[in-house]
DNA sequence: TGGATTGTACTATTCATATAGTACATTAGC
DNA sequence: GCTAATGTACTATATGAATAGTACAATCCA
């Protein structure tokens, strides 16, 4: 039971749930947060945690399996595959940052927060950190 | 024809198209990129540019109209509304920014994205503007 | 006045997504 | 072998989103 809760679902983002799962696992792999052999949450557990249907989780895991990033075994669980995990993929990582920022901006826009004040606030935290 | 193409659609993001439009307009308003009186692209033009259906654009504009951010007039176009900027509570606003940033940092952390690269990416967008 | 432009309404259709519910298959471990 | 846990298959259903197509309404402008 070493699996960490890497996956969190945003029900209001508009992004398909199964896709949020896939994306987050891929990202976690590319950042090294999930290493080969790491065990994902069980289908049922993630379904409970994220308050979604087990079928939806299963679908996401199956897609990851097909794409070769995880290996799934009935009765056992779903695990990150050994050497598919290629050392941190820089391109993918940059893409992830881009997408994440896009989402942040969209959310901010909805809340009426401006880009400049976000940057300012985040920057403060950068300098604060020692 | 002074409207600038503020809106770009990502067909592969999973985010509903009409929602991308709404979000981007809100963001552009909050950053001052779109000012009161600015004219949005026409329904048909944006539909062509973004390669989507005019109905989808219309739906987005209608939502923005209902929420009071734009004013739409047949035969004329769709324009950013004057003072939706409501005199705002600065303290409350700063608090909102703080909370939002906390959430962003939590999400980023879970995904394995560092604060510094986020700030860098967001900063790029600040200077990109024109 | 008349035509061009703009946004809207409406119906129908297609597709993806998510869900519920049930049953089953595989594996681990006692 | 038995049981619990795991993932899977299947059917059915509901909903949202996007599209196509057509017609219409309001406005502007020459």
């Amino acid at each position: 039971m070493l699996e960490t809760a890497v996956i969190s679902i945003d029900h209001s983002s508009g992004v398909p749930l199964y896709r949020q799962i896939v994306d987050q696992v891929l990202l976690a792999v590319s950042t090294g947060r999930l290493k080969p052999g790491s065990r994902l949450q069980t289908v049922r557990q993630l379904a409970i945690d994220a308050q979604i249907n087990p079928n939806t989780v299963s679908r996401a895991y199956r897609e990851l399996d097909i794409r070769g990033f995880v290996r799934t075994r009935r009765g056992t669980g779903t695990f990150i595959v050994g050497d598919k995990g290629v050392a941190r993929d820089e391109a993918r990582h940059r893409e992830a940052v881009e997408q994440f920022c896009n989402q942040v901006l969209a959310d901010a826009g909805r809340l009426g927060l401006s880009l400049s004040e976000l940057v300012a606030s985040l920057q403060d935290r950068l300098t604060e950190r020692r």
Side-chain angles (χ1 to χ4, degrees), chain A:
Chain A
M1 291 29 141
L2 289 178
E3 65 265 28
T4 38
V6 185
I7 300 162
S8 76
I9 297 299
D10 180 352
H11 285 266
S12 67
S13 75
V15 180
L17 307 182
Y18 79 93
R19 184 163 174 174
Q20 292 185 44
I21 297 173
V22 170
D23 287 348
Q24 288 186 38
V25 170
L26 291 185
L27 184 56
V29 168
S30 81
T31 60
R33 183 90 191 264
L34 279 178
K35 296 183 176 31
S38 297
R39 186 178 196 254
L40 298 179
Q41 288 159 286
T42 71
V43 166
R44 286 176 176 80
Q45 191 55 54
L46 177 51
I48 292 171
D49 292 349
Q51 306 207 46
I52 60 183
N53 193 285
N55 289 333
T56 304
V57 180
S58 182
R59 168 174 176 180
Y61 282 7
R62 201 179 324 140
E63 178 169 334
L64 285 165
D65 193 317
I66 291 171
R67 292 172 63 178
F69 290 96
V70 306
R71 177 65 181 283
T72 254
R73 283 183 356 228
R74 281 180 167 174
T76 310
T78 301
F79 303 83
I80 302 296
V81 158
D83 40 279
K84 181 74 176 183
V86 246
R88 179 188 165 103
D89 180 339
E90 281 302 333
R92 176 183 289 286
H93 187 76
R94 274 195 305 276
E95 175 65 18
V97 173
E98 285 302 301
Q99 283 200 359
F100 182 80
C101 286
N102 286 341
Q103 188 61 48
V104 167
L105 289 180
D107 292 343
R110 226 176 292 124
L111 294 174
L113 311 179
S114 79
L115 173 53
S116 56
E117 64 191 353
L118 283 191
V119 170
S121 178
L122 288 172
Q123 234 167 2
D124 283 350
R125 300 170 193 234
L126 256 187
T127 55
E128 272 171 15
R129 314 259 168 211
R130 197 154 356 214

